[in-house]
Amino acid sequence: MADLRNPAIILHSPQLGENIGAAARVMRNFGLTDLRLVAPRDGWPNPAAETMSAGAFDAGVTVSVHETLQEALEGIAWLAAATARLRGIEKRVGDAAAAARTAHERMGTGQSAIMFGAEKSGLPNDAVAVADYLMTYPVDPEFKSLNLAQAVCVFCAEWGKVTLGPRGDEGDHKAGLGEPAPRDELYRMFEHFEDELEKAGYFFPPEKTPLMKDNLRAALIRADWTQQEVQTFRGAIKALALGRGKARVVRDD
Amino acid sequence: MADLRNPAIILHSPQLGENIGAAARVMRNFGLTDLRLVAPRDGWPNPAAETMSAGAFDAGVTVSVHETLQEALEGIAWLAAATARLRGIEKRVGDAAAAARTAHERMGTGQSAIMFGAEKSGLPNDAVAVADYLMTYPVDPEFKSLNLAQAVCVFCAEWGKVTLGPRGDEGDHKAGLGEPAPRDELYRMFEHFEDELEKAGYFFPPEKTPLMKDNLRAALIRADWTQQEVQTFRGAIKALALGRGKARVVRDD
């Protein structure tokens, strides 16, 4: 029986409404909508959560409130527990990217959930015990306590990569770049530039001219010019050359 | 000249001290310490930032305040701009993972910086224009405005993956798992279990016994048993069997 629901986020005994709201907002940013609260300290609804959610609850995030974790796990077939300590429990372990990939691969075999503990104390051991997976982030061991909503954010961003965007290993693309300029256009641009520099008396002394040209070309070539940018640059050279010409005409008069 | 400093985070015209503090905290979580503020609305220092930082400023995050972006860019050799819109500007584009990898690869050639705009308005066009790179996240187009500190968090988590932990593609490991049990131990465990179930009269009717055994084995085998877990489970079977035996002894008496 295919169950194509996105993973649920479970907050176990969250304390601050602000964090619940911020978690809901970042869930919605990355396409997640099933938020389950186990024994929220300040009850529900919570005005601080509403404020921090930036409208996420109206934009599709549903909240259910449960007295126990067991009740919150209804319909959950795979459960990952976010934890900074591995606790010596025998479980599979991975980072947020691996958890997101696993949750994604399991879509169709039941809903998954990612569970986060309270702000100060994290998850209790009996909650970690029923998880299938420990999700842990590579944090600085000297300063490893993440804000709760930030911890939720890290998973959600990985979920977004899996479902909404390019995978990390394909992530460096050139969507914003136009057609790269062919080399011959670059050469014509260099020659145009050097020609005008020559006229301006830039290349001096003559025996250093080749080296000066090479240095200029080496610097310019790194810019990965597009055709449009080559046109723009050549326009700039032309404008400079004309301006200089005019100035000289004035001086010559 | 090698410059092995970690990337700076630049917040351009941030409004809320809470976001500055939360950004500092998550920077420190993932090993970043150079926070530069351009024209923070409420000035600096900011008590709300202090509160939300969870001690990050005492734990190594330094803050510098600048009137202009140009001043904040002192010493920066590569600049990525976080933006939800690609704006038709000709630049390289990538997600947070690609930006983190690029910033990491460039260590040794000068410091990098990742720049984030104001809460409501994002980065102004003249700031985006001087960036080398546009960093954009795969967000739900229907709800794409991230909280400022969450946007910082997504980059910082990718930085942590590159520098502190396994890469995403190596992230699914079994650090918490002991030695897997050899198959022959699993077979002995199954036989032990089935033997006791047989004695308990579980397998009935007899013609269904093979199917019942197969179903049990198929379910149990999915657990990826370690040797220790096999021992534990066999202990449990033994205890149940002894308990049942005792109960029967009582009944037989």
Side-chain angles (χ1 to χ4, degrees):
Chain A
M1 185 180 61
D3 182 343
L4 293 173
R5 279 176 297 178
N6 286 341
I9 298 292
I10 298 175
L11 304 184
H12 191 305
S13 307
Q15 300 177 287
L16 296 171
E18 287 83 350
N19 285 334
I20 300 171
R25 177 176 178 176
V26 78
M27 285 173 62
R28 187 62 190 81
N29 287 142
F30 293 107
L32 295 176
T33 54
D34 184 353
L35 175 58
R36 305 183 183 198
L37 307 179
V38 179
R41 186 190 67 185
D42 298 336
W44 194 260
N46 183 317
E50 182 65 41
T51 303
M52 285 295 286
S53 73
F57 300 120
D58 295 328
V61 174
T62 62
V63 180
S64 59
V65 182
H66 309 272
E67 283 188 26
T68 65
L69 175 61
Q70 187 176 347
E71 187 188 309
L73 289 176
E74 191 183 322
I76 298 300
W78 185 80
L79 178 65
T83 176
R85 292 162 289 146
L86 294 183
R87 302 167 192 244
I89 297 174
E90 302 285 354
K91 299 204 184 282
R92 291 191 70 84
V93 175
D95 64 9
R101 280 197 304 272
T102 304
H104 191 252
E105 285 159 11
R106 295 183 63 95
M107 284 179 81
T109 64
Q111 194 181 10
S112 296
I114 318 291
M115 170 173 63
F116 298 83
E119 282 87 343
K120 290 226 184 329
S121 49
L123 284 167
N125 282 330
D126 62 349
V128 173
V130 298
D132 300 293
Y133 194 92
L134 299 187
M135 181 175 73
T136 190
Y137 301 154
V139 289
D140 190 313
E142 305 287 311
F143 197 86
K144 62 186 178 184
S145 169
L146 264 77
N147 166 272
L148 172 55
Q150 303 284 47
V152 172
C153 173
V154 174
F155 172 79
C156 292
E158 294 291 353
W159 180 258
K161 281 161 66 178
V162 172
T163 58
L164 297 169
R167 294 286 293 268
D169 48 355
E170 302 158 2
D172 193 8
H173 57 108
K174 286 188 162 191
L177 284 183
E179 281 295 297
R183 284 278 138 161
D184 60 315
E185 281 192 29
L186 282 180
Y187 273 99
R188 282 201 296 274
M189 181 182 86
F190 292 149
E191 285 155 8
H192 180 187
F193 191 33
E194 291 159 6
D195 187 43
E196 293 295 346
L197 289 171
E198 185 88 55
K199 290 183 197 161
Y202 173 83
F203 294 116
F204 186 87
E207 66 272 20
K208 290 213 171 161
T209 301
L211 181 63
M212 292 170 83
K213 286 185 178 178
D214 284 349
N215 287 345
L216 271 176
R217 289 183 175 203
L220 289 170
I221 201 84
R222 283 199 302 271
D224 264 347
W225 299 81
T226 64
Q227 288 183 285
Q228 179 57 51
E229 289 164 337
V230 165
Q231 293 310 315
T232 303
F233 189 71
R234 292 194 65 171
I237 299 168
K238 190 177 283 184
L240 285 178
L242 284 174
R244 175 178 49 74
K246 277 180 194 156
R248 195 165 51 189
V249 169
V250 171
R251 276 207 310 275
D252 284 350
D253 277 351
Chain B
M1 187 180 60
D3 182 344
L4 293 173
R5 280 175 297 177
N6 286 340
I9 298 292
I10 298 175
L11 304 184
H12 191 304
S13 308
Q15 299 178 287
L16 296 171
E18 288 83 351
N19 285 335
I20 299 170
R25 177 176 179 178
V26 79
M27 284 173 61
R28 186 63 189 82
N29 288 142
F30 294 105
L32 296 176
T33 55
D34 184 353
L35 175 59
R36 305 183 183 196
L37 307 179
V38 178
R41 186 190 67 185
D42 298 337
W44 194 261
N46 182 319
E50 182 64 41
T51 302
M52 284 296 284
S53 73
F57 299 120
D58 295 328
V61 174
T62 62
V63 180
S64 59
V65 182
H66 308 273
E67 284 188 28
T68 64
L69 174 60
Q70 186 177 347
E71 187 188 310
L73 290 176
E74 191 183 323
I76 299 301
W78 185 80
L79 178 66
T83 175
R85 292 163 290 146
L86 294 184
R87 301 167 192 245
I89 297 173
E90 303 285 353
K91 298 204 184 282
R92 289 193 71 83
V93 175
D95 64 8
R101 281 197 303 274
T102 303
H104 191 254
E105 285 160 11
R106 295 183 63 95
M107 283 178 80
T109 64
Q111 195 181 10
S112 296
I114 317 291
M115 169 175 63
F116 299 83
E119 283 86 343
K120 289 224 186 328
S121 50
L123 285 167
N125 282 330
D126 62 348
V128 173
V130 298
D132 300 292
Y133 194 91
L134 299 187
M135 181 175 73
T136 189
Y137 301 155
V139 290
D140 190 315
E142 304 287 311
F143 198 85
K144 62 186 179 186
S145 168
L146 265 77
N147 166 272
L148 172 56
Q150 302 285 49
V152 173
C153 173
V154 173
F155 173 79
C156 292
E158 295 290 353
W159 180 258
K161 281 161 66 176
V162 172
T163 57
L164 297 168
R167 294 288 292 268
D169 49 356
E170 302 159 1
D172 192 8
H173 57 108
K174 286 189 162 193
L177 283 182
E179 281 295 297
R183 283 280 137 160
D184 60 314
E185 283 193 28
L186 282 180
Y187 273 99
R188 283 201 296 275
M189 182 181 86
F190 291 151
E191 286 154 8
H192 179 187
F193 190 34
E194 292 158 5
D195 187 44
E196 293 296 345
L197 288 171
E198 185 88 56
K199 290 184 199 159
Y202 172 82
F203 293 114
F204 186 86
E207 66 273 21
K208 289 214 170 160
T209 301
L211 181 62
M212 293 170 83
K213 286 186 179 177
D214 284 350
N215 287 345
L216 272 176
R217 290 185 175 202
L220 289 171
I221 200 82
R222 282 199 303 271
D224 265 348
W225 298 81
T226 65
Q227 288 183 284
Q228 181 56 51
E229 290 166 336
V230 166
Q231 294 308 316
T232 303
F233 189 72
R234 292 193 65 171
I237 300 167
K238 190 178 282 183
L240 284 178
L242 283 173
R244 175 177 49 74
K246 277 179 192 157
R248 194 166 50 191
V249 167
V250 171
R251 274 210 309 278
D252 283 351
D253 277 352

